């Protein structure tokens, strides 16, 4: 049973990192990553400063913080991808996303700084993803805070989910439909 707070925190459900993944899933993940920046931009650019500075749920980040978090998180994920493709099971450097969201650039900066950054990293991410071999999708990296070894394929799945997850937060606040 999902609690009301749980449904507001995870409106599309939690990410299942143990779910089996096939090559066809990866193409869907890459499609989400390719199209997400434009969907997000269309959703948030028309918003007023007051809307951007409103939390999407009680106790949650503001919409502005969510947009900046997406850029921060996806930049980190892109670097993790590069490490996984160029090193043998690297241990990544985790970052404290909640602390980053409280920094001035996360709390007050214009979202126009993060939207093109997110679009650029997604373009590079998808360019790399579409060129990978099956063996490269099986390469790994280790997350020390989660004590878990991820594959490159799981990274693409997780950030497909992460994109839709945070889009859903903003869409929920605005009373709009979520990305499928």
């Amino acid at each position: 049973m999902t609690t009301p707070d749980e449904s507001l925190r995870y409106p599309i459900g939690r990410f299942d990192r143990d779910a089996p993944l096939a090559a066809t899933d990866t193409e869907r993940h890459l499609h989400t990553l390719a199209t997400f920046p434009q969907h997000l931009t269309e959703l948030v650019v028309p918003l007023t400063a007051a809307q951007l500075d409103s939390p999407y749920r009680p106790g949650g980040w503001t919409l502005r913080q969510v947009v900046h978090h997406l850029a921060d998180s996806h930049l980190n994920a892109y670097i993790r991808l590069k490490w996984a493709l160029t090193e043998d099971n690297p241990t990544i450097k985790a970052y404290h996303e909640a602390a980053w969201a409280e920094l001035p650039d996360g709390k007050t900066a214009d979202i126009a700084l993060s939207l093109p950054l997110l679009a650029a990293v997604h373009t590079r991410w998808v360019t790399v993803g579409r060129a990978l071999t099956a063996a490269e999708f099986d390469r790994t990296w280790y997350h020390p805070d989660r004590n878990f070894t991820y594959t490159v394929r799981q990274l693409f799945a997780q950030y497909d989910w992460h994109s839709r997850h945070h889009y859903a937060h903003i869409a929920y606040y605005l009373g709009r439909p979520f990305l499928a």
Side-chain angles (χ1 to χ4, degrees):
M1 181 173 178
T2 305
T3 66
D5 184 57
E6 180 86 359
S7 67
L8 291 177
R9 287 187 70 199
Y10 299 99
I12 64 168
R14 290 181 181 262
F15 177 68
D16 180 4
R17 68 180 179 207
D18 297 321
L21 297 170
T24 54
D25 296 322
T26 301
E27 184 48 44
R28 187 181 78 249
H29 303 317
L30 288 169
H31 176 76
T32 297
L33 294 173
T35 59
F36 175 69
Q38 184 62 38
H39 289 300
L40 179 67
T41 297
E42 290 168 1
L43 185 66
V44 299
V45 164
L47 301 181
T48 66
Q51 288 174 307
L52 289 169
D53 292 327
S54 298
Y56 68 88
R57 66 173 173 85
W61 286 338
T62 66
L63 305 188
R64 181 183 311 276
Q65 286 173 298
V66 171
V67 170
H68 293 309
H69 162 72
L70 283 160
D72 290 343
S73 176
H74 293 205
L75 282 166
N76 273 284
Y78 178 69
I79 296 302
R80 292 169 184 175
L81 168 68
K82 301 281 259 189
W83 280 332
L85 294 173
T86 60
E87 300 177 20
D88 290 328
N89 194 39
T91 298
I92 59 96
K93 167 86 171 87
Y95 77 104
H96 301 287
E97 62 186 37
W100 284 35
E102 293 300 319
L103 293 172
D105 64 325
K107 287 190 84 160
T108 63
D110 189 331
I111 61 170
L113 297 174
S114 284
L115 292 172
L117 190 59
L118 189 68
V121 78
H122 275 237
T123 299
R124 291 196 57 190
W125 212 352
V126 171
T127 299
V128 171
R130 291 206 167 121
L132 295 179
T133 66
E136 288 169 321
F137 276 109
D138 291 334
R139 292 188 60 88
T140 60
W141 53 277
Y142 176 73
H143 195 302
D145 287 0
R146 295 188 181 146
N147 191 28
F148 189 79
T149 298
Y150 288 84
T151 66
V152 166
R153 191 174 307 282
Q154 285 171 310
L155 180 138
F156 283 103
Q158 183 169 2
Y159 282 87
D160 169 332
W161 172 86
H162 191 255
S163 297
R164 293 179 298 103
H165 166 72
H166 284 302
Y167 185 97
H169 287 148
I170 298 168
Y172 171 82
Y173 170 84
L174 297 171
R176 303 233 181 106
F178 304 166
L179 288 176

